[in-house]
Amino acid sequence: MATAIRVEAPVGDDDAKTISFETGKLAPLAGGAVLCGLGETRILMTATAAGHVREGIDFFPLTVDIEERMYAAGKIPGSFFRREGRAPESAILTCRLIDRPLRPSFPSDFRNEVHIVGTVFGADQVNPYDVLAINGASAALMISDIPFGGPIGAVRLAYSATGEWIPHPTYEEGDASTFEIVVAGRKLDNGDVAVMMVEAGGTEAAWNLYQEGAPKVDEAALATALNESKRWISDVIDLQQQLADAVIAEQGEPGVMSYTPQVDYSDEIYAEVQNLGGQRVGEIMQIADKTERQAAEGALRSELVERIVPGLVEAAVEAGEPAEEATALATKHVKSAFRSLSKATVRSRIVNEGARIDGRGLRDLRQVSAEVKVIPTAHGTGLFQRGETQVLNVATLGMAKMDQMIDGIDPVTRKRYLHHYNFPPFSTGEPGFMR
């Protein structure tokens, strides 16, 4: 069996608890595999990439999966078959937490499929695994041959009842705090940390703690949290770099896999779209009504496709490409260039003129309204509208015994507040599947 390469460092000012990264023992065929530890919590993070681009793909297919295993907490699954079920909400939320800072860190022309898998091996019921998984995913990518602009570091901070930010809090410390924030970022050449993602929210204990006089989280406290997070992010980035350097020292430079760069359109196509439609795009993006604006935008896009695509197809056919394939590809490129031009136009107005897409200034709000008792038979309903966006909330009250039993690997065993979110396709004026 291969010898493992391991690095570790204390968490915060607590020398008794460490964060560790280990590679070389498990999953040797994965592109990169790192066993991560925080306290006695363990999660194996692997990163693997396809050797070729899937035909017809026009986006970066990054997939993140988290596999929670009940044995990690010394439990047997509670289902009839005593088998692991589908991923719980905690795992799905962790997948999203990992995806958000990682996705923009890959080259823009890289479209090979990348799969990040996290398997929870040990859950000590003390230390959460989610932020550890972000750091582990970055470490796995760092020791692989996948092109990746990392490392990326992350930390969770909890705002205690005494007004202090606690790094990498335990479940107990988080439950006893009023607010939690997860920050991810990358290290710049000058040593500073650029923040890439922030996820934050109050805790269930916040109300009672505020009633008892705990300090509230204001803008100054959040600014302090973002500033303090940079220290812990920098520390975990340094630890990832130590692991990468140790792997290089023992196994040599992994290099970067060869891949075929993918482009949505050429500079020439973008220039032609801008030349023919740039002024009209600027005018369309000043239409306040969303439906009218989208209709005008669609009409201009179709017009540009009709004007530009024939010339591109003619050149492609002369070069020996089939006319049907050339037409489909040229249409796709023109539409992509038009979309980029629209985004650039909107951004330019915001940055240079201080005007948003519907003419509002940077400090102007859309018209806001609220209404209650919309559905007479429900316990509580509220309709909130901002501009053309509506949210209909329905509340149902139940007895304590109606709470949800949780069969998971963390200390949470029951849940009394359930929040379900639905986004039907008619919300955007489109047909589609109901999920």
Side-chain angles (χ1 to χ4, degrees):
M1 185 176 291
T3 303
I5 300 173
R6 178 185 173 89
V7 296
E8 65 178 13
V11 174
D13 299 321
D14 184 4
D15 293 336
K17 186 168 72 173
T18 62
I19 183 171
S20 63
F21 299 126
E22 178 183 305
T23 188
K25 180 179 290 187
L26 300 174
L29 296 183
V34 176
L35 181 63
C36 315
L38 180 62
E40 294 186 354
T41 291
R42 299 289 185 271
I43 181 169
L44 176 67
M45 299 301 302
T46 62
T48 309
H52 304 282
V53 179
R54 199 190 323 158
E55 186 176 352
I57 197 127
D58 59 355
F59 64 95
F60 173 45
L62 171 65
T63 302
V64 181
D65 284 312
I66 292 294
E67 299 291 314
E68 289 190 358
R69 292 290 177 253
M70 297 295 283
Y71 61 72
K75 297 180 180 181
I76 295 175
S79 66
F80 179 80
F81 294 102
R82 295 296 188 261
R83 296 277 298 186
E84 307 284 353
R86 67 174 185 175
E89 286 186 3
S90 58
I92 294 171
L93 293 175
T94 301
C95 293
R96 297 175 182 174
L97 210 60
I98 295 170
D99 184 293
R100 283 161 55 191
L102 291 188
R103 185 172 291 274
S105 303
F106 294 88
S108 60
D109 60 357
F110 181 64
R111 299 283 172 81
N112 295 41
E113 186 172 2
V114 175
H115 195 190
I116 307 294
V117 179
T119 307
V120 183
F121 282 171
D124 63 5
Q125 307 284 291
V126 176
N127 299 287
Y129 71 82
D130 53 357
V131 172
L132 179 65
I134 301 175
N135 293 306
S138 172
L141 287 164
M142 287 293 294
I143 63 172
S144 73
D145 63 350
I146 302 171
F148 175 65
I152 303 298
V155 65
R156 170 181 278 109
L157 297 172
Y159 199 58
S160 70
T162 59
E164 297 180 354
W165 288 105
I166 304 171
H168 296 289
T170 62
Y171 285 113
E172 184 177 353
E173 290 170 332
D175 291 341
S177 68
T178 60
F179 196 86
E180 287 189 312
I181 183 170
V182 176
V183 186
R186 60 185 178 86
K187 210 169 186 178
L188 303 176
D189 293 337
N190 61 5
D192 193 15
V193 171
V195 174
M196 302 178 67
M197 181 201 72
V198 177
E199 180 82 19
T203 66
E204 287 194 22
W207 176 263
N208 292 332
L209 291 173
Y210 287 150
Q211 293 289 94
E212 295 171 3
K216 291 184 172 61
V217 179
D218 54 16
E219 290 188 4
L222 288 176
T224 300
L226 292 175
N227 188 54
E228 289 191 13
S229 70
K230 295 182 177 182
R231 169 190 169 188
W232 313 112
I233 290 173
S234 179
D235 286 350
V236 77
I237 284 177
D238 290 343
L239 191 62
Q240 292 180 46
Q241 194 61 57
Q242 288 180 35
L243 178 70
D245 292 341
V247 170
I248 292 173
E250 183 165 319
Q251 302 175 3
E253 183 72 44
V256 178
M257 63 180 291
S258 60
Y259 67 93
T260 304
Q262 304 292 306
V263 294
D264 294 322
Y265 50 83
S266 65
D267 293 338
E268 292 76 17
I269 292 177
Y270 184 85
E272 190 167 1
V273 170
Q274 187 176 34
N275 180 52
L276 295 176
Q279 182 177 348
R280 292 169 63 186
V281 168
E283 296 170 355
I284 289 172
M285 292 306 161
Q286 296 182 41
I287 299 175
D289 184 78
K290 183 177 181 180
T291 303
E292 183 182 348
R293 182 175 64 251
Q294 289 180 337
E297 191 175 356
L300 177 57
R301 180 173 55 245
S302 298
E303 178 185 332
L304 292 176
V305 168
E306 292 178 1
R307 296 179 63 180
I308 298 174
V309 167
L312 298 175
V313 173
E314 183 179 352
V317 170
E318 291 178 358
E321 296 183 23
E324 185 176 347
E325 294 182 9
T327 301
L329 185 61
T331 301
K332 179 179 175 182
H333 285 181
V334 172
K335 288 183 176 180
S336 295
F338 181 82
R339 183 168 58 250
S340 294
L341 177 61
S342 299
K343 289 182 178 180
T345 301
V346 172
R347 186 179 187 280
S348 176
R349 286 193 68 209
I350 293 173
V351 174
N352 300 322
E353 303 174 24
R356 289 189 277 184
I357 194 168
D358 55 2
R360 287 178 296 133
L362 300 182
R363 295 181 177 274
D364 297 333
L365 294 177
R366 286 171 286 179
Q367 185 174 359
V368 175
S369 63
E371 181 182 344
V372 296
K373 299 182 180 179
V374 180
I375 303 174
T377 56
H379 290 176
T381 52
L383 176 63
F384 176 83
Q385 183 162 344
R386 186 185 65 231
E388 296 178 350
T389 300
Q390 288 184 329
V391 176
L392 177 62
N393 285 286
V394 181
T396 304
L397 304 178
M399 294 179 290
K401 67 179 182 179
M402 295 297 293
D403 62 355
Q404 182 183 13
M405 297 177 61
I406 304 295
D407 188 23
I409 63 173
D410 57 30
V412 179
T413 58
R414 307 190 79 88
K415 190 176 182 181
R416 67 184 183 92
Y417 174 71
L418 312 175
H419 196 138
H420 296 161
Y421 172 78
N422 299 288
F423 191 82
F426 64 74
S427 300
T428 56
E430 300 171 344
F433 293 104
M434 294 292 292
R435 293 184 173 86

